[in-house]
Amino acid sequence: MKSGISNPIIRIIFWSILVLWGVSVIYPLIFTFLDSLKDNGQFFTKMPWSLPDFPLLWSNFTYVWTEFSFGTYFLNSIVVTLGSTLLGLFLAASTAYVLARYPFKGSNGLYLFYISSMMIPFSLALIPLFFLLNKMHLTNSSFGLILVYASTLIAFGIFVLVGFFKTLPKEMEEAASIDGASYFGTFFRVMLPLAQPGLITVGIVNVLNIWNEYIIGTIIVNDPAHYTLPVGMAVMQAQMQYRTEWGPLFAGLLITIVPVLVMYMFFQKQIASGITAGAVK
């Protein structure tokens, strides 16, 4: 008996849906790229989705990078994203490992406490968080942003990694202990490498969230030297005031979204395997 997917009509419908879905995802990126190569005159005299005139205005990218300090914002985003992701991963992985492999009285309650924090809107904590960081002199600094972002990543990391660590064979820990490895040696040399798919999955999700985060960066940082890319985009539009330069705006948007798209393309297989690996024991 043939499966449904082997039916030519069903196969055509299936692939048509996939093609339409792919076009709906790719078209906004193409639209953004084409519009980043135009000047204002082309936006007002032609349809927005028309092709740009020659010569193409590659200078829009240079203009945004230099005149609106996107080079500084880009570097700040990289530092904050990498720093908070690595710190959040370390805290989440170490906590999840203890909860999964060394249960103690109250460990289930502690796990539920972490998970329940994911249901609380972070916006409720913005005002007390600002006063706390201001009292600790951590506002207007990349280090303050790293601490805040890392703390917001721990609950999700624990949620994913606890189930993942439970699937790892206990014999690996026993073999490491026989070889004389300490608890820390077993964790860093044996368990973390085995948990790499789960770590990559959590890391990619966290990078996407931090790279695109706007509200926390706006409230905690008001020094242009420490702005991240989402905040820089809003500042650039505000500085243009009544004369919006659409070409540079699309160029800035493209600079903001391309790095995470490239990263996702390289790690999409690890993300898929990490999501499913922790669910099957």
Side-chain angles (χ1 to χ4, degrees):
M1 182 177 180
K2 295 183 178 180
S3 60
I5 196 65
S6 64
N7 188 307
I9 297 178
I10 296 179
R11 186 182 302 174
I12 292 174
I13 295 175
F14 177 76
W15 283 106
S16 299
I17 294 174
L18 289 181
V19 170
L20 289 175
W21 177 262
V23 170
S24 66
V25 172
I26 296 175
Y27 176 74
L29 299 177
I30 299 176
F31 175 83
T32 302
F33 173 71
L34 294 177
D35 283 353
S36 68
L37 303 176
K38 299 178 181 179
D39 58 18
N40 269 10
Q42 297 180 52
F43 281 97
F44 297 134
T45 58
K46 296 183 178 181
M47 301 299 291
W49 49 83
S50 62
L51 295 176
D53 294 337
F54 288 93
L56 302 177
L57 294 181
W58 296 100
S59 58
N60 283 339
F61 293 91
T62 306
Y63 175 67
V64 168
W65 193 267
T66 56
E67 296 297 324
F68 290 98
S69 303
F70 259 61
T72 302
Y73 303 155
F74 190 86
L75 180 61
N76 291 340
S77 288
I78 291 178
V79 171
V80 170
T81 301
L82 290 180
S84 55
T85 299
L86 292 176
L87 179 60
L89 275 178
F90 171 74
L91 295 175
S94 56
T95 305
Y97 177 66
V98 173
L99 293 176
R101 312 299 287 195
Y102 300 99
F104 53 90
K105 186 176 181 180
S107 59
N108 289 333
L110 182 60
Y111 172 73
L112 293 176
F113 174 78
Y114 278 114
I115 301 306
S116 62
S117 66
M118 298 172 61
M119 298 184 294
I120 302 175
F122 191 77
S123 57
L124 297 178
L126 286 177
I127 294 178
L129 178 63
F130 172 79
F131 285 109
L132 175 62
L133 292 176
N134 187 49
K135 190 173 182 179
M136 299 173 64
H137 304 288
L138 291 176
T139 55
N140 291 324
S141 70
S142 297
F143 182 67
L145 276 178
I146 290 174
L147 292 180
V148 174
Y149 287 147
S151 65
T152 62
L153 307 177
I154 295 176
F156 174 74
I158 291 175
F159 174 71
V160 175
L161 294 175
V162 163
F164 196 91
F165 278 122
K166 287 182 177 180
T167 65
L168 300 180
K170 193 172 182 61
E171 290 76 13
M172 301 295 295
E173 292 173 292
E174 296 173 350
S177 178
I178 293 174
D179 290 338
S182 63
Y183 289 112
F184 292 101
T186 302
F187 174 67
F188 286 106
R189 297 179 182 179
V190 179
M191 305 308 288
L192 276 186
L194 291 175
Q196 182 179 352
L199 293 174
I200 291 177
T201 301
V202 175
I204 296 298
V205 173
N206 291 340
V207 166
L208 294 176
N209 290 333
I210 297 171
W211 187 270
N212 297 316
E213 203 285 321
Y214 170 74
I215 297 178
I216 298 176
T218 304
I219 294 176
I220 295 178
V221 176
N222 54 31
D223 183 1
H226 298 288
Y227 284 161
T228 56
L229 280 173
V231 180
M233 278 291 300
V235 170
M236 179 177 69
Q237 186 175 13
Q239 289 177 346
M240 291 179 178
Q241 294 182 352
Y242 300 106
R243 186 181 182 277
T244 301
E245 301 178 64
W246 294 105
L249 274 177
F250 279 103
L253 181 61
L254 205 62
I255 292 173
T256 303
I257 64 178
V258 163
V260 292
L261 290 177
V262 172
M263 180 187 62
Y264 185 82
M265 290 172 59
F266 277 105
F267 291 102
Q268 57 179 330
K269 291 183 179 179
Q270 287 85 346
I271 294 174
S273 62
I275 291 175
T276 56
V280 181
K281 187 173 182 179

